[in-house]
Amino acid sequence: RVLGEEHPDTATSYNNVGISYQKMGDREKGLQYQEKALEIRRRVLGEEHPDTAGSYNNVGISYQKMGDREKGLQYQEKALDIRCRVLGEDHPDTAGSYNNVGISFQKMGDLEKGLQYKEKALEIRCRILGEEHPDTAISYNSVGMLYEDLGKKKEGLAYMEKALDIRRKVLGEEHPVTATSYNNVGYSYTNFWNRHEKAAEYFHRAYLISRKHKGEENPTTKKYFTRWKECEKKASESHE
């Protein structure tokens, strides 16, 4: 009413409402608002603008969540293309786009191509954010899991241990995201290396952190507890 439809702030409001609907589980309505934000930004700001790239990215993620992976990839590749031109390669948002495109290829079954984009995101984040940054840890973890999917368990474990190391230093030992890394490394040890005693130590640590933050009855806490006890049992059986 005050600014009118054709205003950047109006587009931002549409985008924010769309994100809220997404969080509430109404993906269709969320997508409608995010597409409206993109439409306004293209008209008002033009294609070659970081906010327009942001809208392409958000719409792409929405399509991904709704199961339309090909359309999601198209929008995310468009966002990456704009960010490379407007922001340059060495920018956190460009790294984010490389990572998102990698996730899209991964979900579509093209693991090798997914790895190429995720490694590019990691390379940029290491260069501009440094090793000691939460986003760099995300990339190490993401690349590690993809290596495991490709059957490269040694590389996978090394990258996930690196992610854990960074998170312990940057976020702290008692952070829920650090617990996630403990869980991931534990999962690698038990499923790919059959080192159940070692895995139990990691799951136990993840469980303690999660219990502290989320409580005993939280589903994530329960998952870590179950994995810890299962690995303890397997370790005990292997010693018999």
Side-chain angles (χ1 to χ4, degrees):
R1 206 161 52 232
V2 178
L3 300 174
E5 286 277 317
E6 305 291 294
H7 193 280
D9 290 351
T10 307
T12 300
S13 288
Y14 272 109
N15 186 65
N16 292 342
V17 172
I19 290 169
S20 294
Y21 274 116
Q22 290 277 359
K23 287 179 179 176
M24 291 165 64
D26 193 337
R27 291 174 179 171
E28 289 276 357
K29 205 152 190 177
L31 177 60
Q32 287 172 20
Y33 277 86
Q34 287 177 329
E35 284 184 322
K36 182 68 176 176
L38 172 58
E39 179 191 323
I40 295 168
R41 283 172 170 168
R42 289 179 65 193
R43 276 200 311 269
V44 176
L45 302 173
E47 285 279 322
E48 305 288 295
H49 193 281
D51 289 351
T52 307
S55 271
Y56 273 111
N57 185 66
N58 292 342
V59 171
I61 291 170
S62 292
Y63 275 117
Q64 286 278 354
K65 288 178 178 176
M66 291 171 67
D68 194 337
R69 291 172 179 170
E70 287 194 11
K71 202 159 188 177
L73 176 60
Q74 288 171 16
Y75 278 85
Q76 286 174 335
E77 285 183 318
K78 181 71 175 174
L80 174 58
D81 185 48
I82 296 168
R83 284 171 169 168
C84 283
R85 282 198 309 272
V86 176
L87 302 173
E89 286 270 323
D90 286 346
H91 192 281
D93 290 350
T94 307
S97 269
Y98 272 110
N99 191 63
N100 291 342
V101 171
I103 291 168
S104 293
F105 277 117
Q106 183 180 359
K107 286 181 177 176
M108 291 169 70
D110 193 338
L111 302 185
E112 290 286 354
K113 204 154 190 179
L115 181 61
Q116 288 172 23
Y117 279 87
K118 286 188 172 189
E119 284 185 321
K120 181 69 175 176
L122 173 58
E123 177 196 322
I124 296 168
R125 284 170 170 167
C126 283
R127 200 164 55 239
I128 63 172
L129 302 174
E131 289 274 328
E132 313 273 298
H133 193 280
D135 288 351
T136 308
I138 288 170
S139 272
Y140 271 111
N141 187 69
S142 187
V143 170
M145 293 176 84
L146 194 40
Y147 268 126
E148 286 191 338
D149 288 344
L150 284 161
K152 298 177 179 180
K153 64 179 187 178
K154 186 177 179 181
E155 293 90 340
L157 179 59
Y159 275 79
M160 286 193 287
E161 286 184 321
K162 180 69 175 176
L164 173 58
D165 184 49
I166 295 168
R167 285 168 170 167
R168 288 177 66 194
K169 280 188 280 204
V170 176
L171 302 175
E173 184 69 37
E174 300 294 317
H175 196 282
V177 176
T178 307
T180 302
S181 261
Y182 273 111
N183 173 71
N184 293 343
V185 173
Y187 188 86
S188 181
Y189 272 120
T190 189
N191 281 281
F192 297 100
W193 296 89
N194 290 320
R195 294 181 63 183
H196 307 302
E197 193 169 347
K198 185 91 171 170
E201 293 172 15
Y202 283 86
F203 287 134
H204 183 224
R205 191 74 199 108
Y207 161 70
L208 292 175
I209 298 167
S210 185
R211 185 181 68 178
K212 179 180 177 181
H213 287 278
K214 300 175 181 178
E216 194 79 53
E217 297 303 311
N218 179 268
T220 301
T221 306
K222 287 182 174 180
K223 178 179 73 176
Y224 295 159
F225 178 84
T226 301
R227 288 179 174 177
W228 166 38
K229 289 301 177 184
E230 283 175 351
C231 283
E232 277 196 334
K233 185 181 177 186
K234 286 177 182 176
S236 176
E237 289 168 352
S238 69
H239 289 315
E240 289 176 1

